[in-house]
């Protein structure tokens, strides 16, 4: 199963949504999970994970992850060539490195990362 997470922030709470689908060719979702949580910290430049990671981990308590599952997050896993980790890296470590985490970010990150790939949406 593939689990794709995103979190939206409102004035006094965060809404985290996870869409689960069987494989990359699935045309519809298998499950949708969502949860509202208190915002645990303000946005901190360079430390996005401090705000979003608690939301994802809380919602993951509702999901029974199995071997072979993978997770997609809205953010980076690795931030630079020195191996500095971002949201996805912290999530991977929080899950005892048992499940692959793929980071998809809409905006570029300032530092160089030779492993980073550009992807395009649609055809």
């Amino acid at each position: 199963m593939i689990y794709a997470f995103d979190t939206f922030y409102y004035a006094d709470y965060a809404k985290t949504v996870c869409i689960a689908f069987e494989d990359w060719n699935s045309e519809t979702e298998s499950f949708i999970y969502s949860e509202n949580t208190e915002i645990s910290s303000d946005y901190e430049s360079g430390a996005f994970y401090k705000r979003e990671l608690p939301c994802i981990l809380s919602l993951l308590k509702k999901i029974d992850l199995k071997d072979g599952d993978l997770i997609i997050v809205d953010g980076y896993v690795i931030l630079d060539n020195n191996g500095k980790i971002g949201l996805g890296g912290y999530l991977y470590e929080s899950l005892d490195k048992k499940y692959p985490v793929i980071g998809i970010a809409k905006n570029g990150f300032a530092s160089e990362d030779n492993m980073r790939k550009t992807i395009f949406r649609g055809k």
Side-chain angles (χ1 to χ4, degrees):
M1 191 72 70
I2 301 168
Y3 297 94
F5 286 83
D6 201 3
T7 300
F8 306 91
Y9 295 93
Y10 298 93
D12 55 350
Y13 70 95
K15 181 177 187 93
T16 303
V17 176
C18 171
I19 297 176
F21 47 100
E22 291 289 330
D23 60 51
W24 295 109
N25 295 316
S26 297
E27 293 187 19
T28 59
E29 73 279 349
S30 300
F31 304 100
I32 298 176
Y33 304 90
S34 68
E35 179 177 70
N36 294 341
T37 56
E38 289 184 27
I39 297 174
S40 59
S41 68
D42 291 333
Y43 173 76
E44 183 181 333
S45 181
F48 170 65
Y49 72 93
K50 289 181 182 179
R51 192 172 200 204
E52 192 135 329
L53 183 61
C55 300
I56 294 171
L57 290 173
S58 179
L59 186 54
L60 273 169
K61 291 177 185 174
K62 296 180 177 181
I63 300 170
D64 182 25
L65 293 175
K66 300 195 178 348
D67 288 342
D69 289 347
L70 64 91
I71 297 169
I72 301 170
V73 296
D74 180 15
Y76 287 95
V77 177
I78 304 294
L79 298 174
D80 61 24
N81 283 332
N82 295 320
K84 181 178 179 182
I85 60 174
L87 171 63
Y90 283 103
L91 178 59
Y92 182 66
E93 287 183 350
S94 294
L95 298 173
D96 298 323
K97 302 179 179 179
K98 292 182 180 178
Y99 307 97
V101 177
I102 298 170
I104 304 290
K106 293 178 283 297
N107 299 312
F109 196 74
S111 62
E112 281 195 38
D113 178 357
N114 294 331
M115 296 299 293
R116 194 175 298 148
K117 304 293 180 213
T118 301
I119 60 169
F120 298 94
R121 174 175 34 183
K123 298 178 181 176

